[in-house]
Amino acid sequence: MNLHEYQAKELFARHGLPVLPGQVATTPEEARNIATSLGDTVVLKAQVLVGGRGKAGGVKLARGAEEAYHAARAILGLKIQDLPVRKVLVARAAEIARELYLSIVLDRAAQLPLVMLSAEGGVEIEEVARVSPEKILRRHVSLDGLRPYQARSLFRPLLADGSQVSQAADILLRLWAVFRDGDCTLAEINPLAVTPEGKLVALDAKVTLDDNAEFRHRDWNLWRDPEDETPGARLARERGLSYVKLDGDIGCVVNGAGLAMATMDLVKHYGGEPANFLDIGGSSSPDKVTAALKIITSDSRVRVILFNIFGGITRCDDVARGIVQSLEQSPLAVPLVIRLTGTNEDLARKILAERGLSATTSMDEGVRAAIAKAQEVFA
Ligand code: GDP
Ligand code: MN
C-alpha cells in the first residue's frame, strides 16, 4: 500500500523526523483557513498516489490566505496521470538552498534494505538516475541497522558542514526506524531540503508499506481510502482476485500464479506487452470470470484480451460459461483470444462454439494470436 504524502509525514513526525506543519484540505475555503492558521508562506500539494506532481502543476507556493485559496482551486481541479485530485496538503513552506535525495528501499535481489542518497535531489531525480547513476550513492544496510558513524560517513562527502552531516545522519537513523518498525518496502525523502540557515527538512515523503505485514498493523486500515484505488484494483480486492496492472495492452486472464507468470513471459518473448497480471485462481466460478473481464476492461489501454486456462481444479466449461455470460451482459469492445486445455475442455469448446467463439489448445498459438490482434488495432 502506498501512503499519501500527508500520511507519510504523520508517520515521519511520530519518529521525530523534521517535517513542517500542515493539514489536508478538500475545498479551497478549507485551504484558506489552514493557510491563515499557518501564517507565512505556504506550499499546496496535490495528494494523489503518483509521482511527478511538481511537474504536473500539483505543487504551488502561496503567500497568504487568498493566494492559497486560488492555488487550492487550481490544484483541486487537476487530473494527474488520470487521477483526479481530491485532497490538497497545505503546509508551511521552507526556503531551499539545496535539495538532497534520501531513501531506503527493500532490495529484493540482495535480500537487504538499500540506502540511496544523492546531492542532486528534487524533481529531476529520475533523470539523474538515468543519465548519471554514479551521482546516486547506494549502500546496503544489514538487518541490524545502521550505526551513527556509518550514517555520518555516508553524508560526509555530500555535505561540507559538520552540523549538516549530523542532522542528515540523525534523519537517516530515524528513517531507518520508520522503515523497519513500519514494515516498509520504501521510505523516501525527496527533496531533503537544506535551508539557507543550514537546517535539514523533509519536504516530501513517500512510503510504501509491505501488504504482507498488514496483520500486525491494525492502524493501516485507517490509511486505506477506496477512492484512491483504480476501479479495477478495487473490484479485484473485493472479489479476492490477485490483480497487478502493468503498462502494456494485452489483458491476460489466467488461472494460477505460475501460469500467469509463464503467460507474461511468453507475451514478452513474442514481442508483446502484458497489460496486467490477473489470476482467477483455482476453482473458477463463472462469476469470477465475469469479474475478471470487468477488471480488465476498466483499463482503457487494453486492446485485446487473452484467456489462458489450464484446466485442473478449474473447469474449462466454467470458464467458458463465464465468458459467454459476461458477453451477454456487456459485449466486449476489444477482441478476445481464448486458449483452453484440460478438465472439460470439449464441453467448454461446445459452449463457446454455440456463441460463435473458438479456442485454441496451444499456449504458443494463443499468445501469438493475441499479439497479432493487439497490433492490428494499431494499424
Ligand atoms: P513531487 O514532484 O511529486 O515529488 O513533489 P514535491 O513535494 O517533491 O515537490 C516538488 C518540488 O517543489 C520540490 O522539489 C521543491 O523544489 C518544490 N517545493 C516543495 N515544497 C516546497 C517548499 O516548502 N518550499 C519551496 N520553496 N519549494 C518547495
Ligand atoms: Mn518529491
Side-chain angles (χ1 to χ4, degrees), residues 45 51-54 122-123 125 188-191 203-206:
K45 306 169 86 178
R53 298 167 305 168
V123 296
I125 190 70
E188 180 189 89
I189 308 176
N190 184 38
L203 286 193
D204 191 8
K206 193 169 169 197

Side-chain angles (χ1 to χ4, degrees), residues 5 9 20 41-43 45-46 50-56 58-61 91-96 99 121-124 188 190-191 203-205:
E5 175 189 359
K9 281 183 170 170
L20 295 178
T41 303
V42 292
V43 60
K45 306 169 86 178
V50 288
R53 298 167 305 168
K55 287 186 175 174
V59 178
K60 292 185 194 298
L61 287 169
R92 183 166 295 152
E95 274 187 72
I96 302 177
E99 296 190 319
V123 296
E124 299 296 343
E188 180 189 89
N190 184 38
L203 286 193
D204 191 8

Side-chain angles (χ1 to χ4, degrees), residues 112-377:
L112 284 174
L114 177 69
V115 173
M116 293 198 276
L117 59 138
S118 175
E120 300 193 17
V123 296
E124 299 296 343
I125 190 70
E126 270 94 11
E127 193 62 11
V128 174
R130 203 174 58 82
V131 184
S132 29
E134 75 285 352
K135 289 186 177 161
I136 300 179
L137 281 163
R138 292 155 204 267
R139 182 73 49 85
H140 282 110
V141 180
S142 103
L143 293 172
D144 306 333
L146 284 153
R147 304 278 168 274
Y149 79 88
Q150 293 171 315
R152 283 194 299 272
S153 74
L154 275 174
F155 283 100
R156 221 167 267 127
L158 261 59
L159 297 164
D161 180 292
S163 143
Q164 290 178 21
V165 170
S166 304
Q167 291 178 61
D170 182 61
I171 287 171
L172 176 54
L173 293 172
R174 289 177 193 275
L175 192 66
W176 167 252
V178 168
F179 183 87
R180 182 200 53 204
D181 301 344
D183 281 315
C184 301
T185 55
L186 170 75
E188 180 189 89
I189 308 176
N190 184 38
L192 171 58
V194 184
T195 69
E197 298 80 39
K199 288 272 169 295
L200 270 68
V201 212
L203 286 193
D204 191 8
K206 193 169 169 197
V207 164
T208 306
L209 303 170
D210 182 349
D211 291 326
N212 296 304
E214 182 152 10
F215 71 96
R216 56 184 178 201
H217 297 274
R218 282 163 189 267
D219 54 330
W220 284 8
N221 209 21
L222 302 172
W223 276 331
R224 204 184 283 284
D225 181 350
E227 289 194 48
D228 292 334
E229 286 175 311
T230 61
R234 192 189 319 174
L235 190 56
R237 190 170 49 74
E238 286 167 0
R239 294 303 183 89
L241 301 178
S242 101
Y243 170 68
V244 180
K245 190 180 147 15
L246 303 167
D247 292 331
D249 52 12
I250 301 177
C252 306
V253 185
V254 178
N255 68 309
L259 187 58
M261 298 302 287
T263 307
M264 293 193 303
D265 281 351
L266 205 59
V267 167
K268 284 258 187 195
H269 175 75
Y270 284 122
E273 288 296 333
N276 65 279
F277 172 107
L278 176 61
D279 174 9
I280 57 171
S283 62
S284 293
S285 67
D287 284 353
K288 269 197 184 172
V289 176
T290 318
L293 278 171
K294 274 207 191 105
I295 293 165
I296 291 210
T297 49
S298 74
D299 176 356
S300 59
R301 266 197 270 201
V302 168
R303 292 171 187 274
V304 58
I305 297 173
L306 168 67
F307 271 79
N308 186 13
I309 304 298
F310 189 86
I313 296 172
T314 307
R315 290 166 28 185
C316 292
D317 59 317
D318 272 347
V319 175
R321 265 186 217 102
I323 294 174
V324 167
Q325 214 174 70
S326 169
L327 293 183
E328 274 168 5
Q329 283 167 15
S330 51
L332 283 175
V334 293
L336 189 60
V337 174
I338 306 167
R339 181 264 179 155
L340 300 163
T341 188
T343 312
N344 291 0
E345 68 172 276
D346 293 341
L347 182 52
R349 248 174 262 286
K350 224 175 102 197
I351 294 168
L352 291 172
E354 281 167 13
R355 310 283 156 158
L357 295 167
S358 63
T360 171
T361 39
S362 149
M363 179 155 155
D364 242 55
E365 228 172 73
V367 167
R368 289 160 99 157
I371 293 171
K373 287 240 158 43
Q375 283 162 357
E376 249 170 54
V377 187

Side-chain angles (χ1 to χ4, degrees), residues 23-136:
Q23 267 178 284
V24 170
T26 53
T27 64
E29 289 77 18
E30 270 183 86
R32 173 162 50 202
N33 292 340
I34 298 167
T36 306
S37 71
L38 290 173
D40 305 335
T41 303
V42 292
V43 60
L44 292 99
K45 306 169 86 178
Q47 297 299 289
V48 280
L49 295 175
V50 288
R53 298 167 305 168
K55 287 186 175 174
V59 178
K60 292 185 194 298
L61 287 169
R63 262 162 239 89
E66 277 323 297
E67 266 188 50
Y69 174 88
H70 289 288
R73 239 175 54 172
I75 292 175
L76 288 167
L78 286 176
K79 260 194 174 185
I80 302 180
Q81 292 181 35
D82 279 350
L83 284 172
V85 179
R86 296 180 297 110
K87 290 182 271 193
V88 62
L89 172 64
V90 187
R92 183 166 295 152
E95 274 187 72
I96 302 177
R98 286 182 73 183
E99 296 190 319
L100 312 177
Y101 174 91
L102 175 64
S103 70
I104 306 175
V105 59
L106 181 65
D107 179 351
R108 291 176 198 274
Q111 302 185 4
L112 284 174
L114 177 69
V115 173
M116 293 198 276
L117 59 138
S118 175
E120 300 193 17
V123 296
E124 299 296 343
I125 190 70
E126 270 94 11
E127 193 62 11
V128 174
R130 203 174 58 82
V131 184
S132 29
E134 75 285 352
K135 289 186 177 161
I136 300 179

